[in-house]
Amino acid sequence: SSIEALLGLMFFAILTGLLYGRFSRPNPIIIYSNNALISPYLDINGLMLRLSNERNNQIINVSATMVLSRNELVDGQIKRKYYPLDLERDTVKYLAMSWTLVHPITENSVLYNETLESLHESDTEILVTIEGIDETLSDPIHSRKSYLYPQIVIGAGFLPIMHEENDYYVLDLKKINAFEPRILNA
């Protein structure tokens, strides 16, 4: 009877710990813009996408990576190639509001002189990965998003996502996808 009672208590203790561990994990809700935009940026152009933390907590020590993937003809065979895209800023201390990731399109960029047709022909895809730490539970979080070539808009820019209301700035997540046409820099 003693062994059975001990085993029963251990079983419920382990089961409770496993269930708590499974359901207490931070589940990030990072929302991304539906489109990646090629927009005027400083005196050049840049590939831009917007993201935001939809939860009320903050994500700290956030880092982002962006990779371009496309098919290329190599030695008579089509191969999938991956190119890291340098970001204007790839880390932020905390993500409390929104963040627009920007890849400056310089002469060294793999996107330099690309068109919608060339992106379509090469089956281009932009892969974005976000990593950070949930401040509530101090657990690492990961999020990712993929943009296929039909989701890349050339000659557009994001509209402001924040507005002032009663001496406060308000983040309007309904505007995360809002953009308008813009003329690219030559």
Side-chain angles (χ1 to χ4, degrees), residues 24-30 52-60 62 94-98 132-141 171:
S24 67
R25 280 190 191 159
N27 196 5
I29 302 179
I30 296 178
S52 182
N53 180 14
E54 198 173 31
R55 290 192 175 230
N56 290 333
N57 66 339
Q58 293 183 9
I59 302 171
I60 57 175
V62 184
Y94 61 92
L95 181 61
M97 300 190 102
S98 72
I133 298 172
D134 181 278
E135 76 163 350
T136 307
L137 299 172
S138 296
D139 283 339
I141 62 158
L171 180 69

PDB file of all heavy atoms in Angstrom, residues 24-30 52-60 62 94-98 132-141 171:
ATOM      1  N   SER A  24       2.560  26.329 -20.279  1.00  0.00           N
ATOM      2  CA  SER A  24       3.043  27.614 -19.781  1.00  0.00           C
ATOM      3  C   SER A  24       4.120  28.203 -20.683  1.00  0.00           C
ATOM      4  O   SER A  24       4.618  29.274 -20.406  1.00  0.00           O
ATOM      5  CB  SER A  24       3.600  27.460 -18.364  1.00  0.00           C
ATOM      6  OG  SER A  24       4.779  26.674 -18.391  1.00  0.00           O
ATOM      7  N   ARG A  25       4.456  27.535 -21.764  1.00  0.00           N
ATOM      8  CA  ARG A  25       5.447  28.072 -22.692  1.00  0.00           C
ATOM      9  C   ARG A  25       4.925  29.355 -23.322  1.00  0.00           C
ATOM     10  O   ARG A  25       3.754  29.450 -23.655  1.00  0.00           O
ATOM     11  CB  ARG A  25       5.720  27.082 -23.818  1.00  0.00           C
ATOM     12  CG  ARG A  25       6.649  26.007 -23.443  1.00  0.00           C
ATOM     13  CD  ARG A  25       7.045  25.238 -24.676  1.00  0.00           C
ATOM     14  NE  ARG A  25       7.734  24.035 -24.289  1.00  0.00           N
ATOM     15  CZ  ARG A  25       7.848  22.986 -25.053  1.00  0.00           C
ATOM     16  NH1 ARG A  25       7.322  22.987 -26.248  1.00  0.00           N
ATOM     17  NH2 ARG A  25       8.501  21.944 -24.637  1.00  0.00           N
ATOM     18  N   PRO A  26       5.823  30.323 -23.520  1.00  0.00           N
ATOM     19  CA  PRO A  26       5.367  31.543 -24.181  1.00  0.00           C
ATOM     20  C   PRO A  26       5.043  31.230 -25.637  1.00  0.00           C
ATOM     21  O   PRO A  26       5.786  30.542 -26.325  1.00  0.00           O
ATOM     22  CB  PRO A  26       6.567  32.487 -24.072  1.00  0.00           C
ATOM     23  CG  PRO A  26       7.736  31.606 -23.884  1.00  0.00           C
ATOM     24  CD  PRO A  26       7.228  30.379 -23.162  1.00  0.00           C
ATOM     25  N   ASN A  27       3.917  31.698 -26.060  1.00  0.00           N
ATOM     26  CA  ASN A  27       3.493  31.494 -27.433  1.00  0.00           C
ATOM     27  C   ASN A  27       3.456  32.868 -28.094  1.00  0.00           C
ATOM     28  O   ASN A  27       2.487  33.601 -27.929  1.00  0.00           O
ATOM     29  CB  ASN A  27       2.114  30.825 -27.450  1.00  0.00           C
ATOM     30  CG  ASN A  27       1.787  30.238 -28.788  1.00  0.00           C
ATOM     31  OD1 ASN A  27       2.612  30.247 -29.692  1.00  0.00           O
ATOM     32  ND2 ASN A  27       0.582  29.741 -28.920  1.00  0.00           N
ATOM     33  N   PRO A  28       4.503  33.229 -28.818  1.00  0.00           N
ATOM     34  CA  PRO A  28       4.554  34.584 -29.356  1.00  0.00           C
ATOM     35  C   PRO A  28       3.469  34.792 -30.411  1.00  0.00           C
ATOM     36  O   PRO A  28       3.157  33.887 -31.178  1.00  0.00           O
ATOM     37  CB  PRO A  28       5.943  34.667 -29.982  1.00  0.00           C
ATOM     38  CG  PRO A  28       6.276  33.265 -30.346  1.00  0.00           C
ATOM     39  CD  PRO A  28       5.632  32.425 -29.276  1.00  0.00           C
ATOM     40  N   ILE A  29       2.904  35.957 -30.394  1.00  0.00           N
ATOM     41  CA  ILE A  29       1.978  36.334 -31.440  1.00  0.00           C
ATOM     42  C   ILE A  29       2.589  37.555 -32.122  1.00  0.00           C
ATOM     43  O   ILE A  29       2.269  38.696 -31.796  1.00  0.00           O
ATOM     44  CB  ILE A  29       0.570  36.628 -30.898  1.00  0.00           C
ATOM     45  CG1 ILE A  29       0.022  35.413 -30.164  1.00  0.00           C
ATOM     46  CG2 ILE A  29      -0.366  37.002 -32.036  1.00  0.00           C
ATOM     47  CD1 ILE A  29      -1.353  35.604 -29.569  1.00  0.00           C
ATOM     48  N   ILE A  30       3.497  37.289 -33.022  1.00  0.00           N
ATOM     49  CA  ILE A  30       4.118  38.348 -33.801  1.00  0.00           C
ATOM     50  C   ILE A  30       3.386  38.379 -35.133  1.00  0.00           C
ATOM     51  O   ILE A  30       3.292  37.367 -35.821  1.00  0.00           O
ATOM     52  CB  ILE A  30       5.621  38.099 -33.987  1.00  0.00           C
ATOM     53  CG1 ILE A  30       6.314  38.145 -32.626  1.00  0.00           C
ATOM     54  CG2 ILE A  30       6.213  39.129 -34.938  1.00  0.00           C
ATOM     55  CD1 ILE A  30       7.787  37.862 -32.662  1.00  0.00           C
ATOM     56  N   SER A  52       5.028  43.319 -35.669  1.00  0.00           N
ATOM     57  CA  SER A  52       4.647  43.873 -34.375  1.00  0.00           C
ATOM     58  C   SER A  52       4.305  42.743 -33.417  1.00  0.00           C
ATOM     59  O   SER A  52       3.865  41.670 -33.836  1.00  0.00           O
ATOM     60  CB  SER A  52       3.439  44.805 -34.530  1.00  0.00           C
ATOM     61  OG  SER A  52       3.095  45.370 -33.291  1.00  0.00           O
ATOM     62  N   ASN A  53       4.499  42.998 -32.146  1.00  0.00           N
ATOM     63  CA  ASN A  53       4.120  42.068 -31.092  1.00  0.00           C
ATOM     64  C   ASN A  53       2.659  42.334 -30.749  1.00  0.00           C
ATOM     65  O   ASN A  53       2.308  43.428 -30.328  1.00  0.00           O
ATOM     66  CB  ASN A  53       5.013  42.278 -29.869  1.00  0.00           C
ATOM     67  CG  ASN A  53       4.692  41.348 -28.733  1.00  0.00           C
ATOM     68  OD1 ASN A  53       3.986  40.366 -28.894  1.00  0.00           O
ATOM     69  ND2 ASN A  53       5.229  41.648 -27.567  1.00  0.00           N
ATOM     70  N   GLU A  54       1.804  41.325 -30.928  1.00  0.00           N
ATOM     71  CA  GLU A  54       0.381  41.529 -30.685  1.00  0.00           C
ATOM     72  C   GLU A  54       0.001  41.337 -29.216  1.00  0.00           C
ATOM     73  O   GLU A  54      -1.081  41.690 -28.797  1.00  0.00           O
ATOM     74  CB  GLU A  54      -0.436  40.583 -31.565  1.00  0.00           C
ATOM     75  CG  GLU A  54      -1.870  41.000 -31.694  1.00  0.00           C
ATOM     76  CD  GLU A  54      -2.643  40.180 -32.698  1.00  0.00           C
ATOM     77  OE1 GLU A  54      -2.334  38.996 -32.882  1.00  0.00           O
ATOM     78  OE2 GLU A  54      -3.572  40.739 -33.289  1.00  0.00           O
ATOM     79  N   ARG A  55       0.899  40.804 -28.422  1.00  0.00           N
ATOM     80  CA  ARG A  55       0.609  40.626 -26.993  1.00  0.00           C
ATOM     81  C   ARG A  55       0.937  41.896 -26.222  1.00  0.00           C
ATOM     82  O   ARG A  55       1.640  42.769 -26.712  1.00  0.00           O
ATOM     83  CB  ARG A  55       1.411  39.463 -26.439  1.00  0.00           C
ATOM     84  CG  ARG A  55       0.923  38.146 -26.979  1.00  0.00           C
ATOM     85  CD  ARG A  55       1.530  37.022 -26.197  1.00  0.00           C
ATOM     86  NE  ARG A  55       0.957  35.780 -26.657  1.00  0.00           N
ATOM     87  CZ  ARG A  55       0.461  34.871 -25.856  1.00  0.00           C
ATOM     88  NH1 ARG A  55       0.488  35.048 -24.569  1.00  0.00           N
ATOM     89  NH2 ARG A  55      -0.040  33.768 -26.338  1.00  0.00           N
ATOM     90  N   ASN A  56       0.475  41.958 -24.984  1.00  0.00           N
ATOM     91  CA  ASN A  56       0.726  43.130 -24.148  1.00  0.00           C
ATOM     92  C   ASN A  56       2.109  43.113 -23.514  1.00  0.00           C
ATOM     93  O   ASN A  56       2.582  44.135 -23.047  1.00  0.00           O
ATOM     94  CB  ASN A  56      -0.336  43.238 -23.042  1.00  0.00           C
ATOM     95  CG  ASN A  56      -1.687  43.612 -23.611  1.00  0.00           C
ATOM     96  OD1 ASN A  56      -1.768  44.256 -24.652  1.00  0.00           O
ATOM     97  ND2 ASN A  56      -2.735  43.193 -22.944  1.00  0.00           N
ATOM     98  N   ASN A  57       2.744  41.944 -23.460  1.00  0.00           N
ATOM     99  CA  ASN A  57       4.075  41.878 -22.859  1.00  0.00           C
ATOM    100  C   ASN A  57       5.123  42.333 -23.870  1.00  0.00           C
ATOM    101  O   ASN A  57       4.831  42.549 -25.039  1.00  0.00           O
ATOM    102  CB  ASN A  57       4.369  40.460 -22.373  1.00  0.00           C
ATOM    103  CG  ASN A  57       4.461  39.475 -23.523  1.00  0.00           C
ATOM    104  OD1 ASN A  57       3.949  39.702 -24.616  1.00  0.00           O
ATOM    105  ND2 ASN A  57       5.114  38.368 -23.286  1.00  0.00           N
ATOM    106  N   GLN A  58       6.341  42.451 -23.413  1.00  0.00           N
ATOM    107  CA  GLN A  58       7.425  42.849 -24.303  1.00  0.00           C
ATOM    108  C   GLN A  58       8.318  41.652 -24.591  1.00  0.00           C
ATOM    109  O   GLN A  58       8.433  40.729 -23.794  1.00  0.00           O
ATOM    110  CB  GLN A  58       8.248  43.967 -23.669  1.00  0.00           C
ATOM    111  CG  GLN A  58       7.489  45.255 -23.539  1.00  0.00           C
ATOM    112  CD  GLN A  58       8.352  46.358 -22.969  1.00  0.00           C
ATOM    113  OE1 GLN A  58       9.546  46.217 -22.813  1.00  0.00           O
ATOM    114  NE2 GLN A  58       7.728  47.478 -22.664  1.00  0.00           N
ATOM    115  N   ILE A  59       8.937  41.701 -25.756  1.00  0.00           N
ATOM    116  CA  ILE A  59       9.946  40.713 -26.125  1.00  0.00           C
ATOM    117  C   ILE A  59      11.271  41.462 -26.087  1.00  0.00           C
ATOM    118  O   ILE A  59      11.402  42.522 -26.698  1.00  0.00           O
ATOM    119  CB  ILE A  59       9.673  40.129 -27.518  1.00  0.00           C
ATOM    120  CG1 ILE A  59       8.282  39.491 -27.553  1.00  0.00           C
ATOM    121  CG2 ILE A  59      10.730  39.110 -27.887  1.00  0.00           C
ATOM    122  CD1 ILE A  59       7.838  39.080 -28.938  1.00  0.00           C
ATOM    123  N   ILE A  60      12.239  40.926 -25.342  1.00  0.00           N
ATOM    124  CA  ILE A  60      13.513  41.627 -25.180  1.00  0.00           C
ATOM    125  C   ILE A  60      14.609  40.928 -25.976  1.00  0.00           C
ATOM    126  O   ILE A  60      14.490  39.764 -26.340  1.00  0.00           O
ATOM    127  CB  ILE A  60      13.898  41.750 -23.693  1.00  0.00           C
ATOM    128  CG1 ILE A  60      13.961  40.375 -23.018  1.00  0.00           C
ATOM    129  CG2 ILE A  60      12.901  42.630 -22.958  1.00  0.00           C
ATOM    130  CD1 ILE A  60      14.440  40.421 -21.580  1.00  0.00           C
ATOM    131  N   VAL A  62      15.652  41.240 -29.100  1.00  0.00           N
ATOM    132  CA  VAL A  62      15.079  40.704 -30.328  1.00  0.00           C
ATOM    133  C   VAL A  62      16.095  40.825 -31.462  1.00  0.00           C
ATOM    134  O   VAL A  62      16.725  41.870 -31.641  1.00  0.00           O
ATOM    135  CB  VAL A  62      13.787  41.456 -30.707  1.00  0.00           C
ATOM    136  CG1 VAL A  62      13.136  40.826 -31.924  1.00  0.00           C
ATOM    137  CG2 VAL A  62      12.832  41.484 -29.539  1.00  0.00           C
ATOM    138  N   TYR A  94      14.154  45.789 -27.143  1.00  0.00           N
ATOM    139  CA  TYR A  94      12.834  45.234 -26.830  1.00  0.00           C
ATOM    140  C   TYR A  94      11.854  45.608 -27.934  1.00  0.00           C
ATOM    141  O   TYR A  94      11.971  46.635 -28.577  1.00  0.00           O
ATOM    142  CB  TYR A  94      12.325  45.685 -25.457  1.00  0.00           C
ATOM    143  CG  TYR A  94      12.142  47.168 -25.293  1.00  0.00           C
ATOM    144  CD1 TYR A  94      10.920  47.760 -25.558  1.00  0.00           C
ATOM    145  CD2 TYR A  94      13.187  47.972 -24.860  1.00  0.00           C
ATOM    146  CE1 TYR A  94      10.746  49.117 -25.402  1.00  0.00           C
ATOM    147  CE2 TYR A  94      13.024  49.323 -24.702  1.00  0.00           C
ATOM    148  CZ  TYR A  94      11.792  49.898 -24.972  1.00  0.00           C
ATOM    149  OH  TYR A  94      11.628  51.234 -24.823  1.00  0.00           O
ATOM    150  N   LEU A  95      10.898  44.723 -28.136  1.00  0.00           N
ATOM    151  CA  LEU A  95       9.866  44.925 -29.145  1.00  0.00           C
ATOM    152  C   LEU A  95       8.560  45.196 -28.420  1.00  0.00           C
ATOM    153  O   LEU A  95       7.844  44.282 -28.030  1.00  0.00           O
ATOM    154  CB  LEU A  95       9.743  43.683 -30.043  1.00  0.00           C
ATOM    155  CG  LEU A  95       8.717  43.743 -31.168  1.00  0.00           C
ATOM    156  CD1 LEU A  95       9.047  44.872 -32.136  1.00  0.00           C
ATOM    157  CD2 LEU A  95       8.666  42.424 -31.903  1.00  0.00           C
ATOM    158  N   ALA A  96       8.285  46.463 -28.211  1.00  0.00           N
ATOM    159  CA  ALA A  96       7.068  46.842 -27.504  1.00  0.00           C
ATOM    160  C   ALA A  96       5.993  47.295 -28.480  1.00  0.00           C
ATOM    161  O   ALA A  96       4.817  47.175 -28.196  1.00  0.00           O
ATOM    162  CB  ALA A  96       7.368  47.959 -26.516  1.00  0.00           C
ATOM    163  N   MET A  97       6.404  47.796 -29.631  1.00  0.00           N
ATOM    164  CA  MET A  97       5.432  48.321 -30.591  1.00  0.00           C
ATOM    165  C   MET A  97       5.624  47.645 -31.940  1.00  0.00           C
ATOM    166  O   MET A  97       5.373  46.468 -32.070  1.00  0.00           O
ATOM    167  CB  MET A  97       5.547  49.832 -30.661  1.00  0.00           C
ATOM    168  CG  MET A  97       5.273  50.469 -29.297  1.00  0.00           C
ATOM    169  SD  MET A  97       5.106  52.206 -29.352  1.00  0.00           S
ATOM    170  CE  MET A  97       3.360  52.385 -29.255  1.00  0.00           C
ATOM    171  N   SER A  98       6.068  48.371 -32.938  1.00  0.00           N
ATOM    172  CA  SER A  98       6.275  47.766 -34.258  1.00  0.00           C
ATOM    173  C   SER A  98       7.723  47.982 -34.689  1.00  0.00           C
ATOM    174  O   SER A  98       8.433  48.821 -34.146  1.00  0.00           O
ATOM    175  CB  SER A  98       5.313  48.355 -35.287  1.00  0.00           C
ATOM    176  OG  SER A  98       5.681  49.675 -35.606  1.00  0.00           O
ATOM    177  N   GLY A 132      13.889  36.078 -29.784  1.00  0.00           N
ATOM    178  CA  GLY A 132      13.935  36.985 -28.647  1.00  0.00           C
ATOM    179  C   GLY A 132      13.632  36.242 -27.364  1.00  0.00           C
ATOM    180  O   GLY A 132      13.559  35.010 -27.341  1.00  0.00           O
ATOM    181  N   ILE A 133      13.445  36.995 -26.307  1.00  0.00           N
ATOM    182  CA  ILE A 133      13.154  36.420 -24.995  1.00  0.00           C
ATOM    183  C   ILE A 133      11.866  37.045 -24.479  1.00  0.00           C
ATOM    184  O   ILE A 133      11.736  38.268 -24.436  1.00  0.00           O
ATOM    185  CB  ILE A 133      14.307  36.676 -24.009  1.00  0.00           C
ATOM    186  CG1 ILE A 133      15.576  35.998 -24.521  1.00  0.00           C
ATOM    187  CG2 ILE A 133      13.949  36.172 -22.607  1.00  0.00           C
ATOM    188  CD1 ILE A 133      16.819  36.334 -23.737  1.00  0.00           C
ATOM    189  N   ASP A 134      10.911  36.201 -24.113  1.00  0.00           N
ATOM    190  CA  ASP A 134       9.667  36.661 -23.522  1.00  0.00           C
ATOM    191  C   ASP A 134       9.982  37.200 -22.128  1.00  0.00           C
ATOM    192  O   ASP A 134      10.522  36.483 -21.297  1.00  0.00           O
ATOM    193  CB  ASP A 134       8.667  35.505 -23.447  1.00  0.00           C
ATOM    194  CG  ASP A 134       7.349  35.935 -22.857  1.00  0.00           C
ATOM    195  OD1 ASP A 134       7.263  35.995 -21.621  1.00  0.00           O
ATOM    196  OD2 ASP A 134       6.416  36.195 -23.634  1.00  0.00           O
ATOM    197  N   GLU A 135       9.642  38.463 -21.871  1.00  0.00           N
ATOM    198  CA  GLU A 135      10.019  39.077 -20.596  1.00  0.00           C
ATOM    199  C   GLU A 135       9.229  38.507 -19.417  1.00  0.00           C
ATOM    200  O   GLU A 135       9.691  38.544 -18.289  1.00  0.00           O
ATOM    201  CB  GLU A 135       9.839  40.586 -20.646  1.00  0.00           C
ATOM    202  CG  GLU A 135       8.413  41.040 -20.541  1.00  0.00           C
ATOM    203  CD  GLU A 135       8.279  42.507 -20.182  1.00  0.00           C
ATOM    204  OE1 GLU A 135       9.276  43.151 -19.834  1.00  0.00           O
ATOM    205  OE2 GLU A 135       7.145  42.991 -20.233  1.00  0.00           O
ATOM    206  N   THR A 136       8.053  37.965 -19.670  1.00  0.00           N
ATOM    207  CA  THR A 136       7.224  37.461 -18.577  1.00  0.00           C
ATOM    208  C   THR A 136       7.812  36.205 -17.956  1.00  0.00           C
ATOM    209  O   THR A 136       7.917  36.083 -16.745  1.00  0.00           O
ATOM    210  CB  THR A 136       5.796  37.171 -19.079  1.00  0.00           C
ATOM    211  OG1 THR A 136       5.299  38.343 -19.731  1.00  0.00           O
ATOM    212  CG2 THR A 136       4.886  36.799 -17.938  1.00  0.00           C
ATOM    213  N   LEU A 137       8.199  35.238 -18.800  1.00  0.00           N
ATOM    214  CA  LEU A 137       8.701  33.961 -18.309  1.00  0.00           C
ATOM    215  C   LEU A 137      10.199  33.754 -18.556  1.00  0.00           C
ATOM    216  O   LEU A 137      10.743  32.725 -18.194  1.00  0.00           O
ATOM    217  CB  LEU A 137       7.924  32.813 -18.970  1.00  0.00           C
ATOM    218  CG  LEU A 137       6.424  32.791 -18.691  1.00  0.00           C
ATOM    219  CD1 LEU A 137       5.742  31.756 -19.550  1.00  0.00           C
ATOM    220  CD2 LEU A 137       6.159  32.526 -17.226  1.00  0.00           C
ATOM    221  N   SER A 138      10.843  34.721 -19.188  1.00  0.00           N
ATOM    222  CA  SER A 138      12.274  34.637 -19.531  1.00  0.00           C
ATOM    223  C   SER A 138      12.591  33.400 -20.364  1.00  0.00           C
ATOM    224  O   SER A 138      13.641  32.799 -20.221  1.00  0.00           O
ATOM    225  CB  SER A 138      13.134  34.657 -18.269  1.00  0.00           C
ATOM    226  OG  SER A 138      12.984  35.877 -17.597  1.00  0.00           O
ATOM    227  N   ASP A 139      11.676  33.026 -21.246  1.00  0.00           N
ATOM    228  CA  ASP A 139      11.887  31.899 -22.147  1.00  0.00           C
ATOM    229  C   ASP A 139      12.164  32.407 -23.554  1.00  0.00           C
ATOM    230  O   ASP A 139      11.619  33.432 -23.972  1.00  0.00           O
ATOM    231  CB  ASP A 139      10.644  30.996 -22.189  1.00  0.00           C
ATOM    232  CG  ASP A 139      10.533  30.105 -20.973  1.00  0.00           C
ATOM    233  OD1 ASP A 139      11.560  29.887 -20.310  1.00  0.00           O
ATOM    234  OD2 ASP A 139       9.428  29.631 -20.683  1.00  0.00           O
ATOM    235  N   PRO A 140      12.997  31.688 -24.306  1.00  0.00           N
ATOM    236  CA  PRO A 140      13.257  32.098 -25.688  1.00  0.00           C
ATOM    237  C   PRO A 140      12.027  31.874 -26.570  1.00  0.00           C
ATOM    238  O   PRO A 140      11.272  30.926 -26.357  1.00  0.00           O
ATOM    239  CB  PRO A 140      14.414  31.196 -26.120  1.00  0.00           C
ATOM    240  CG  PRO A 140      14.392  30.045 -25.185  1.00  0.00           C
ATOM    241  CD  PRO A 140      13.765  30.513 -23.921  1.00  0.00           C
ATOM    242  N   ILE A 141      11.840  32.773 -27.527  1.00  0.00           N
ATOM    243  CA  ILE A 141      10.758  32.626 -28.492  1.00  0.00           C
ATOM    244  C   ILE A 141      11.321  32.723 -29.900  1.00  0.00           C
ATOM    245  O   ILE A 141      12.384  33.312 -30.120  1.00  0.00           O
ATOM    246  CB  ILE A 141       9.645  33.672 -28.290  1.00  0.00           C
ATOM    247  CG1 ILE A 141      10.218  35.076 -28.488  1.00  0.00           C
ATOM    248  CG2 ILE A 141       8.986  33.542 -26.947  1.00  0.00           C
ATOM    249  CD1 ILE A 141       9.181  36.075 -28.835  1.00  0.00           C
ATOM    250  N   LEU A 171      -0.668  52.718 -31.205  1.00  0.00           N
ATOM    251  CA  LEU A 171      -0.282  51.791 -32.266  1.00  0.00           C
ATOM    252  C   LEU A 171      -1.549  51.151 -32.808  1.00  0.00           C
ATOM    253  O   LEU A 171      -2.278  50.492 -32.077  1.00  0.00           O
ATOM    254  CB  LEU A 171       0.659  50.721 -31.706  1.00  0.00           C
ATOM    255  CG  LEU A 171       1.162  49.671 -32.679  1.00  0.00           C
ATOM    256  CD1 LEU A 171       2.113  50.296 -33.680  1.00  0.00           C
ATOM    257  CD2 LEU A 171       1.865  48.560 -31.921  1.00  0.00           C
TER     258      LEU A 171
END
